[in-house]
Amino acid sequence: MQHDLIAQARTWLAEDPDPETRDELAALIEAGDTDELAARFAGTLQFGTAGLRGELGAGPMRMNRSVVIRAAAGLAAYLKAQGEEGGLVVIGYDARYKSADFARDTAAVMTGAGLRAAVLPRPLPTPVLAYAIRHLGAVAGVEVTASHNPPRDNGYKVYLGDGSQIVPPADGEIAAAIAAVGPLGDVVRPEDGWQTLGEEVLDAYLARTDAVLAADSPRTARTVYTAMHGVGTSVLTAAFERAGFPAPVLVTEQAEPDPAFPTVAFPNPEEPGAMDLAFATARRAAPDLIIANDPDADRCAVAVPDTATEGGWRMLRGDEVGALLAAHLVERGASGVFAESIVSSSLLGRIAEKAGLGYEETLTGFKWIARVDGLRYGYEEALGYCVDPEGVRDKDGITAALLVAELASVLKEQGRTLLDLLDDLALAHGLHATDQLSVRVEDLTVIANAMTRLREQPPTALAGLAVTSAEDLSQGTDKLPPTDGLRYHLEGARVIVRPSGTEPKLKCYLEVVVPVADAAGLPAARARGAELLAGIKRDLAAAAGI
């Protein structure tokens, strides 16, 4: 067994084109570190609907140039099998370790396979790549990014020519094509022959960002902005300047791309502590709101002044921002369909219904939301918002930030705030309070065991609320394809449990709806909502054995 493992590692080493990972693997072989080698050769990183994502390092269970070259070769074979010989593949990348290398390798493989390749001019937000696919008439797009994952991770996200991320059956067909790739030495990789795009593709994207704003809207909101050590600063500040907003005050410690993400444990605005520097900057600058992007700038977080919160600033939940943007678009006379993932707040459906607009629920992920017919606006509670589906069929943290700033400006002229509008929505539709029970694990069997336990012994009540129905989403529903998840409807509440598709986490999404008669009843409704959410979280953790 040990001999086979060493032999497998030596075979991989002989093919590895990267001196850095070759040295790393050679050292493990030399040291006889069979535990580490076993972890790296336990299988291969699985290509799924999120593409590839994993820790950087040598071996088939890590993200490295060998894995990326195989992925690119499989994608090229798939595209040619679809009749796209000679088609254009546009490639974008973030500022993480190895991202530029992975983008270059992808361009070389596409060129060698008889496709045309064009690489974005520098590390840019993921939505610029999503925009460029349709703008340039590409047959596919690749974005090298691990979004908001830890510093040692990287990833590989694939879009097809409609500008949306892949969904079944394409993901399975691409995975099969990757598995069929032979020796790495047989993958043709010329030294040149692809195009490096100029700034004009970014200029076209920025020109499009203007379309999300009303022509005569006020542009007075003052913001503090953090790029979370990612690629958002230059693009967001350019978009704000074009639109005529005051220049954002930057969180200077996090403004420039840095793959080490030195000031945060996890470069995700939702993680505890990630926004501390932004809050400190805001206490000095006294803006109207804080806007944060994640490192590839496809997500947008918002914080607002709140004297009732310790430190004077409160992060809005993704569901709150999702409802605010929906209400703003309704006020502006939007038409079309509003859509969200099943784990997001049911408040969007109530807003759409009252406005006489179409409404759709999809599985988690913008690969599903972006495919809704007639989509005008889509969002997901994990800080993702699609406010210009004709331009970017994916979540876009830049255009979402512009729309939030416009809404804050409109309310500012009325002497009101985003919190006031949230109160209005609670009075109109009931107080929708959401929370999440999220458990990060080292051992993935913890997640599998929790799901099995809940399937075999589903809870009958949570926080004293009776479970009125339980659905195993792996069976699919009349509106949704199968997915690994569980959904519970309670009296005045809803719970969804699912493994994360991109991180080693079990995620439980909780929502309670508390009726509110008048403004005087809002504090009591909030207190009741918080009490119920805490109770559901406690009882669900016990039921799942986590």
Side-chain angles (χ1 to χ4, degrees):
M1 181 71 178
Q2 183 174 330
H3 177 74
D4 290 347
L5 184 61
I6 296 293
Q8 196 179 354
R10 289 192 189 282
T11 300
W12 183 275
L13 179 63
E15 285 196 325
D16 191 339
D18 188 333
E20 191 175 326
T21 45
R22 275 207 310 271
D23 289 349
E24 180 186 312
L25 187 54
L28 292 173
I29 295 170
E30 179 70 24
D33 190 343
T34 51
D35 287 348
E36 184 61 26
L37 287 171
R40 294 177 183 228
F41 287 85
T44 58
L45 274 186
Q46 290 304 299
F47 186 94
T49 48
L52 294 168
R53 199 175 287 187
E55 186 179 346
L56 290 162
M61 288 295 288
R62 299 288 185 267
M63 281 296 295
N64 51 64
R65 290 183 60 200
S66 297
V67 164
V68 165
I69 289 166
R70 288 183 176 279
L75 174 59
Y78 166 83
L79 291 171
K80 290 166 72 175
Q82 300 295 310
E84 302 292 5
E85 179 88 37
L88 176 67
V89 179
V90 61
I91 302 152
Y93 58 103
D94 67 11
R96 284 176 177 267
Y97 296 119
K98 297 288 183 182
S99 286
D101 293 340
F102 295 167
R104 178 186 169 84
D105 282 331
T106 300
V109 170
M110 295 301 162
T111 303
L115 292 146
R116 292 178 296 125
V119 184
L120 294 185
R122 53 190 167 89
L124 287 167
T126 293
V128 177
L129 180 276
Y131 168 79
I133 294 166
R134 295 171 70 212
H135 176 65
L136 298 173
V139 299
V142 171
E143 176 70 18
V144 180
T145 180
S147 187
H148 55 276
N149 274 37
R152 285 298 303 168
D153 286 6
N154 213 327
Y156 198 81
K157 187 184 291 190
V158 175
Y159 299 74
L160 293 182
D162 63 355
S164 300
Q165 295 175 52
I166 52 169
V167 295
D171 59 338
E173 292 169 4
I174 295 170
I178 294 169
V181 174
L184 217 57
D186 293 347
V187 177
V188 180
R189 287 186 291 128
E191 288 296 314
D192 52 32
W194 57 89
Q195 178 185 10
T196 299
L197 296 165
E199 294 294 313
E200 66 277 356
V201 68
L202 177 60
D203 292 342
Y205 167 82
L206 285 169
R208 178 79 204 183
T209 61
D210 299 348
V212 305
L213 302 173
D216 56 350
S217 63
R219 314 279 167 91
T220 56
R222 295 177 303 107
T223 59
V224 157
Y225 171 72
T226 175
M228 208 65 67
H229 297 297
V231 297
T233 297
S234 64
V235 180
L236 181 129
T237 53
F240 270 55
E241 182 179 2
R242 285 180 61 98
F245 286 104
V249 175
L250 302 181
V251 179
T252 53
E253 302 94 330
Q254 299 174 335
E256 295 303 317
D258 187 336
F261 302 105
T263 68
V264 290
F266 290 95
N268 178 353
E270 294 179 294
E271 293 282 350
M275 294 290 288
D276 287 356
L277 286 171
F279 293 147
T281 304
R283 283 191 281 273
R284 294 193 299 271
D288 299 303
L289 72 165
I290 298 171
I291 288 173
N293 287 140
D294 65 340
D296 69 327
D298 62 352
R299 297 169 194 251
C300 176
V302 180
V304 294
D306 184 3
T307 54
T309 301
E310 184 181 349
W313 283 86
R314 173 161 88 82
M315 276 282 287
L316 298 181
R317 291 189 169 278
D319 283 319
E320 292 176 314
V321 176
L324 288 167
L325 291 179
H328 182 45
L329 290 171
V330 167
E331 185 67 24
R332 277 182 29 184
S335 59
V337 178
F338 283 10
E340 64 180 338
S341 60
I342 56 171
V343 300
S344 304
S345 171
S346 59
L347 177 54
L348 183 70
R350 299 188 184 202
I351 292 170
E353 182 182 17
K354 187 171 182 180
L357 298 175
Y359 168 72
E360 292 286 340
E361 268 190 327
T362 74
L363 293 184
T364 307
F366 269 82
K367 56 185 176 282
W368 299 108
I369 294 171
R371 285 181 160 75
V372 168
D373 285 341
L375 181 68
R376 172 60 186 88
Y377 168 64
Y379 98 91
E380 167 161 284
E381 55 73 46
L383 309 182
Y385 315 93
C386 175
V387 301
D388 177 25
E390 289 305 306
V392 175
R393 290 188 180 175
D394 198 2
K395 55 187 178 291
D396 183 345
I398 305 297
T399 49
L402 285 170
L403 202 61
V404 169
E406 179 183 65
L407 172 57
S409 299
V410 169
L411 293 168
K412 184 177 181 180
E413 292 218 336
Q414 300 168 359
R416 305 175 73 236
T417 68
L418 295 175
L419 294 180
D420 293 326
L421 182 52
L422 285 174
D423 286 350
D424 292 349
L425 293 172
L427 292 172
H429 305 288
L431 179 82
H432 288 62
T434 59
D435 201 357
Q436 194 179 119
L437 171 62
S438 182
V439 182
R440 186 182 291 272
V441 300
E442 294 290 331
D443 180 0
L444 291 176
T445 61
V446 173
I447 294 175
N449 292 341
M451 295 298 289
T452 299
R453 180 167 168 160
L454 288 170
R455 284 189 167 103
E456 293 176 352
Q457 299 172 293
T460 56
L462 297 168
L465 303 176
V467 176
T468 56
S469 70
E471 295 171 277
D472 186 342
L473 298 175
S474 66
Q475 308 301 310
T477 73
D478 57 345
K479 290 190 173 182
L480 297 171
T483 186
D484 187 10
L486 300 164
R487 178 162 58 181
Y488 303 109
H489 291 282
L490 298 87
E491 294 173 350
R494 185 205 66 196
V495 172
I496 294 173
V497 183
R498 60 178 281 273
S500 169
T502 56
E503 297 177 273
K505 281 183 174 182
L506 181 67
K507 290 188 165 185
C508 310
Y509 304 85
L510 325 174
E511 179 178 52
V512 299
V513 183
V514 183
V516 192
D518 52 38
L522 280 169
R526 284 199 190 90
R528 176 61 176 159
E531 177 190 356
L532 286 171
L533 288 172
I536 292 172
K537 193 183 284 192
R538 179 194 63 234
D539 293 352
L540 184 63
I546 52 175

